[in-house]
């Protein structure tokens, strides 16, 4: 009996690690800027130590159906237009032959009809893969702030490898506005985002009309900067006063 219990315990443990290492949902831009808002929501996730294929992806949204992914002339143009807005050293890539490489960061946009001016990628300093849901989602998949609250759950699943799924939940009553509080005008609430740690614990933030990526930030005292405002990228050598 003990041997059987140990055997099944090892199976469950292996399943847990397979799922955990496959990919991880890191961020959801719930209250996107742009109109219709539903075409501009975004999800950021991190691929684990094995390549994934976009053909294997299924999304169980909190609201409305999964429409599948598109990669075509429209998405290519949207990606090029977004890259043209980046003033830092970042770059957006669509997958080649469906592959999302191991350890890559991916942003899933809820429609190929994205408004490229609505949520800024200007300060992106990393290379991120971008994928687009097929056009048709105008009502949105996420619920914005409501004082009554309410849990909303998102699940992403890749059919290969097995057990490759991640699920996160947030409470719409905890979404914060640009001032770090709740409520306010529509403009105040635009940009409400939920960040998730590896355990799925939510943190509620609002960076305004910015895509859900983590900009590369360096805090320097004003006297240390040689002159003017400077943009830095990972690996740069900073010029400072001595």
């Amino acid at each position: 009996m003990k041997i059987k219990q140990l055997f099944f315990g090892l199976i469950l443990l292996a399943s847990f690690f397979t799922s955990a290492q496959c990919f991880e949902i890191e961020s959801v831009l719930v209250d996107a800027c742009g109109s219709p808002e539903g075409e501009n929501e975004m999800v950021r996730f991190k691929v684990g130590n094995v390549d994934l294929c976009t053909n294997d992806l299924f999304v169980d949204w909190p609201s409305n159906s999964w429409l599948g992914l598109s990669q075509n002339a429209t998405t290519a143009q949207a990606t090029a237009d977004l890259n043209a807005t980046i003033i830092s050293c970042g770059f957006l890539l669509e997958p080649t032959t469906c592959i999302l490489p191991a350890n890559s960061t991916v942003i899933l946009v809820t429609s190929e009809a994205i408004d490229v001016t609505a949520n800024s990628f200007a300060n992106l300093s990393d290379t991120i893969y971008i994928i687009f849901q097929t056009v048709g989602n105008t009502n949105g998949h996420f619920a914005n702030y409501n004082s009554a609250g309410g849990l909303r759950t998102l699940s992403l699943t890749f059919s290969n490898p097995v057990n490759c799924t991640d699920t996160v939940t947030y409470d719409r009553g905890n979404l914060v506005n640009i001032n770090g509080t709740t409520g306010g005008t529509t403009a105040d609430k635009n940009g409400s985002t939920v960040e998730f740690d590896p355990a799925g614990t939510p943190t509620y933030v609002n960076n305004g009309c910015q895509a859900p990526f983590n900009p590369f930030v360096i805090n320097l005292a004003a006297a240390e900067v040689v002159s003017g405002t400077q943009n830095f990228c990972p690996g740069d050598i900073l010029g400072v006063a001595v």
Side-chain angles (χ1 to χ4, degrees), residues 210-238:
Q210 177 185 285
F213 63 88
N214 294 320
F216 184 70
V217 177
I218 298 175
N219 294 318
L220 293 174
E224 294 178 308
V225 181
V226 173
S227 63
T229 300
Q230 301 181 40
N231 291 322
F232 298 111
C233 297
D236 282 354
I237 298 175
L238 311 184

Tab-separated table of all heavy atoms in Angstrom, residues 210-238:
chain	number	residue	atom	x	y	z
A	210	GLN	N	-0.430	51.823	-20.926
A	210	GLN	CA	0.794	51.122	-21.297
A	210	GLN	C	0.494	49.645	-21.447
A	210	GLN	O	-0.292	49.077	-20.687
A	210	GLN	CB	1.891	51.316	-20.248
A	210	GLN	CG	3.168	50.528	-20.572
A	210	GLN	CD	4.217	50.616	-19.484
A	210	GLN	OE1	4.871	51.648	-19.345
A	210	GLN	NE2	4.380	49.556	-18.713
A	211	ALA	N	1.110	49.005	-22.419
A	211	ALA	CA	0.996	47.562	-22.581
A	211	ALA	C	1.572	46.876	-21.340
A	211	ALA	O	2.411	47.448	-20.629
A	211	ALA	CB	1.731	47.119	-23.838
A	212	PRO	N	1.159	45.635	-21.064
A	212	PRO	CA	1.574	44.963	-19.824
A	212	PRO	C	2.960	44.326	-19.887
A	212	PRO	O	3.114	43.108	-19.892
A	212	PRO	CB	0.486	43.893	-19.646
A	212	PRO	CG	0.098	43.549	-21.041
A	212	PRO	CD	0.163	44.837	-21.815
A	213	PHE	N	3.975	45.171	-19.947
A	213	PHE	CA	5.351	44.684	-19.863
A	213	PHE	C	6.054	45.468	-18.764
A	213	PHE	O	5.589	46.535	-18.342
A	213	PHE	CB	6.096	44.850	-21.194
A	213	PHE	CG	6.253	46.283	-21.640
A	213	PHE	CD1	7.341	47.045	-21.231
A	213	PHE	CD2	5.314	46.885	-22.472
A	213	PHE	CE1	7.489	48.367	-21.629
A	213	PHE	CE2	5.437	48.204	-22.876
A	213	PHE	CZ	6.533	48.945	-22.446
A	214	ASN	N	7.181	44.935	-18.297
A	214	ASN	CA	7.944	45.600	-17.249
A	214	ASN	C	9.071	46.396	-17.888
A	214	ASN	O	10.025	45.814	-18.414
A	214	ASN	CB	8.522	44.578	-16.261
A	214	ASN	CG	7.433	43.865	-15.488
A	214	ASN	OD1	6.454	44.478	-15.083
A	214	ASN	ND2	7.586	42.568	-15.281
A	215	PRO	N	8.993	47.723	-17.876
A	215	PRO	CA	10.065	48.525	-18.475
A	215	PRO	C	11.351	48.399	-17.688
A	215	PRO	O	11.350	48.135	-16.487
A	215	PRO	CB	9.514	49.958	-18.415
A	215	PRO	CG	8.541	49.929	-17.294
A	215	PRO	CD	7.930	48.553	-17.291
A	216	PHE	N	12.470	48.574	-18.385
A	216	PHE	CA	13.787	48.546	-17.754
A	216	PHE	C	14.040	49.915	-17.126
A	216	PHE	O	14.125	50.924	-17.822
A	216	PHE	CB	14.861	48.235	-18.803
A	216	PHE	CG	16.255	48.093	-18.248
A	216	PHE	CD1	16.601	47.006	-17.460
A	216	PHE	CD2	17.232	49.053	-18.517
A	216	PHE	CE1	17.884	46.867	-16.965
A	216	PHE	CE2	18.505	48.918	-18.030
A	216	PHE	CZ	18.841	47.829	-17.252
A	217	VAL	N	14.090	49.951	-15.793
A	217	VAL	CA	14.163	51.219	-15.079
A	217	VAL	C	15.429	51.279	-14.242
A	217	VAL	O	15.791	50.312	-13.568
A	217	VAL	CB	12.931	51.405	-14.163
A	217	VAL	CG1	13.042	52.686	-13.361
A	217	VAL	CG2	11.661	51.414	-14.987
A	218	ILE	N	16.111	52.434	-14.308
A	218	ILE	CA	17.274	52.688	-13.464
A	218	ILE	C	17.036	53.988	-12.718
A	218	ILE	O	16.721	55.011	-13.328
A	218	ILE	CB	18.569	52.794	-14.285
A	218	ILE	CG1	18.853	51.484	-15.007
A	218	ILE	CG2	19.750	53.171	-13.400
A	218	ILE	CD1	20.041	51.532	-15.930
A	219	ASN	N	17.158	53.943	-11.411
A	219	ASN	CA	16.997	55.145	-10.609
A	219	ASN	C	18.359	55.737	-10.287
A	219	ASN	O	19.185	55.110	-9.629
A	219	ASN	CB	16.246	54.821	-9.308
A	219	ASN	CG	14.814	54.400	-9.566
A	219	ASN	OD1	14.137	54.998	-10.392
A	219	ASN	ND2	14.349	53.373	-8.867
A	220	LEU	N	18.594	56.943	-10.787
A	220	LEU	CA	19.843	57.643	-10.527
A	220	LEU	C	19.540	59.015	-9.953
A	220	LEU	O	18.561	59.657	-10.345
A	220	LEU	CB	20.648	57.828	-11.821
A	220	LEU	CG	21.217	56.571	-12.482
A	220	LEU	CD1	21.857	56.940	-13.812
A	220	LEU	CD2	22.240	55.896	-11.586
A	221	ALA	N	20.368	59.454	-9.035
A	221	ALA	CA	20.245	60.821	-8.547
A	221	ALA	C	20.526	61.771	-9.703
A	221	ALA	O	21.356	61.498	-10.574
A	221	ALA	CB	21.227	61.070	-7.398
A	222	ALA	N	19.818	62.900	-9.727
A	222	ALA	CA	19.952	63.842	-10.847
A	222	ALA	C	21.392	64.271	-11.058
A	222	ALA	O	21.853	64.460	-12.183
A	222	ALA	CB	19.062	65.057	-10.592
A	223	ALA	N	22.161	64.423	-9.995
A	223	ALA	CA	23.539	64.900	-10.107
A	223	ALA	C	24.453	63.878	-10.757
A	223	ALA	O	25.531	64.214	-11.241
A	223	ALA	CB	24.082	65.257	-8.721
A	224	GLU	N	24.022	62.603	-10.793
A	224	GLU	CA	24.881	61.558	-11.332
A	224	GLU	C	24.839	61.484	-12.856
A	224	GLU	O	25.731	60.952	-13.485
A	224	GLU	CB	24.475	60.199	-10.746
A	224	GLU	CG	24.725	60.075	-9.255
A	224	GLU	CD	24.266	58.730	-8.736
A	224	GLU	OE1	23.090	58.369	-8.998
A	224	GLU	OE2	25.049	58.039	-8.100
A	225	VAL	N	23.756	61.964	-13.456
A	225	VAL	CA	23.620	61.880	-14.901
A	225	VAL	C	24.488	62.942	-15.558
A	225	VAL	O	24.497	64.097	-15.148
A	225	VAL	CB	22.145	62.064	-15.316
A	225	VAL	CG1	21.999	61.964	-16.822
A	225	VAL	CG2	21.278	61.009	-14.621
A	226	VAL	N	25.215	62.551	-16.597
A	226	VAL	CA	26.137	63.470	-17.244
A	226	VAL	C	25.398	64.665	-17.808
A	226	VAL	O	25.743	65.810	-17.549
A	226	VAL	CB	26.925	62.743	-18.353
A	226	VAL	CG1	27.762	63.740	-19.135
A	226	VAL	CG2	27.803	61.660	-17.744
A	227	SER	N	24.371	64.431	-18.609
A	227	SER	CA	23.602	65.548	-19.145
A	227	SER	C	22.290	65.051	-19.721
A	227	SER	O	22.250	64.001	-20.359
A	227	SER	CB	24.390	66.279	-20.244
A	227	SER	OG	24.629	65.427	-21.336
A	228	GLY	N	21.233	65.770	-19.487
A	228	GLY	CA	19.954	65.505	-20.117
A	228	GLY	C	19.324	64.180	-19.722
A	228	GLY	O	19.756	63.504	-18.795
A	229	THR	N	18.265	63.826	-20.435
A	229	THR	CA	17.565	62.567	-20.220
A	229	THR	C	18.128	61.509	-21.156
A	229	THR	O	18.318	61.753	-22.340
A	229	THR	CB	16.062	62.743	-20.503
A	229	THR	OG1	15.548	63.735	-19.609
A	229	THR	CG2	15.314	61.439	-20.295
A	230	GLN	N	18.394	60.330	-20.614
A	230	GLN	CA	19.006	59.279	-21.411
A	230	GLN	C	18.165	58.014	-21.353
A	230	GLN	O	17.597	57.684	-20.315
A	230	GLN	CB	20.415	58.962	-20.897
A	230	GLN	CG	21.354	60.176	-20.926
A	230	GLN	CD	22.741	59.825	-20.428
A	230	GLN	OE1	23.261	58.756	-20.731
A	230	GLN	NE2	23.330	60.708	-19.647
A	231	ASN	N	18.062	57.312	-22.480
A	231	ASN	CA	17.414	56.013	-22.531
A	231	ASN	C	18.476	54.935	-22.411
A	231	ASN	O	19.498	54.977	-23.090
A	231	ASN	CB	16.650	55.831	-23.850
A	231	ASN	CG	15.440	56.734	-23.936
A	231	ASN	OD1	14.761	56.951	-22.942
A	231	ASN	ND2	15.167	57.251	-25.125
A	232	PHE	N	18.229	53.953	-21.529
A	232	PHE	CA	19.184	52.884	-21.319
A	232	PHE	C	18.549	51.539	-21.619
A	232	PHE	O	17.346	51.358	-21.470
A	232	PHE	CB	19.687	52.887	-19.871
A	232	PHE	CG	20.418	54.152	-19.487
A	232	PHE	CD1	19.855	55.038	-18.590
A	232	PHE	CD2	21.650	54.444	-20.040
A	232	PHE	CE1	20.516	56.204	-18.231
A	232	PHE	CE2	22.322	55.604	-19.689
A	232	PHE	CZ	21.757	56.482	-18.775
A	233	CYS	N	19.382	50.613	-22.028
A	233	CYS	CA	18.952	49.241	-22.288
A	233	CYS	C	19.825	48.295	-21.491
A	233	CYS	O	20.945	48.653	-21.113
A	233	CYS	CB	19.050	48.918	-23.767
A	233	CYS	SG	17.946	49.941	-24.789
A	234	PRO	N	19.349	47.076	-21.224
A	234	PRO	CA	20.189	46.112	-20.510
A	234	PRO	C	21.535	45.937	-21.196
A	234	PRO	O	21.615	45.778	-22.410
A	234	PRO	CB	19.355	44.832	-20.576
A	234	PRO	CG	17.949	45.305	-20.687
A	234	PRO	CD	18.022	46.547	-21.547
A	235	GLY	N	22.605	45.998	-20.417
A	235	GLY	CA	23.959	45.854	-20.952
A	235	GLY	C	24.648	47.159	-21.252
A	235	GLY	O	25.850	47.191	-21.499
A	236	ASP	N	23.912	48.273	-21.252
A	236	ASP	CA	24.524	49.583	-21.520
A	236	ASP	C	25.438	49.975	-20.370
A	236	ASP	O	25.244	49.611	-19.215
A	236	ASP	CB	23.445	50.669	-21.663
A	236	ASP	CG	22.769	50.636	-23.018
A	236	ASP	OD1	23.209	49.851	-23.870
A	236	ASP	OD2	21.799	51.390	-23.193
A	237	ILE	N	26.474	50.742	-20.711
A	237	ILE	CA	27.358	51.353	-19.720
A	237	ILE	C	26.892	52.783	-19.512
A	237	ILE	O	26.754	53.556	-20.459
A	237	ILE	CB	28.824	51.333	-20.186
A	237	ILE	CG1	29.294	49.870	-20.359
A	237	ILE	CG2	29.720	52.069	-19.191
A	237	ILE	CD1	30.685	49.748	-20.932
A	238	LEU	N	26.592	53.097	-18.267
A	238	LEU	CA	26.039	54.408	-17.957
A	238	LEU	C	27.138	55.429	-17.732
A	238	LEU	O	28.086	55.179	-16.994
A	238	LEU	CB	25.146	54.335	-16.717
A	238	LEU	CG	24.100	53.211	-16.704
A	238	LEU	CD1	23.237	53.331	-15.457
A	238	LEU	CD2	23.242	53.275	-17.943
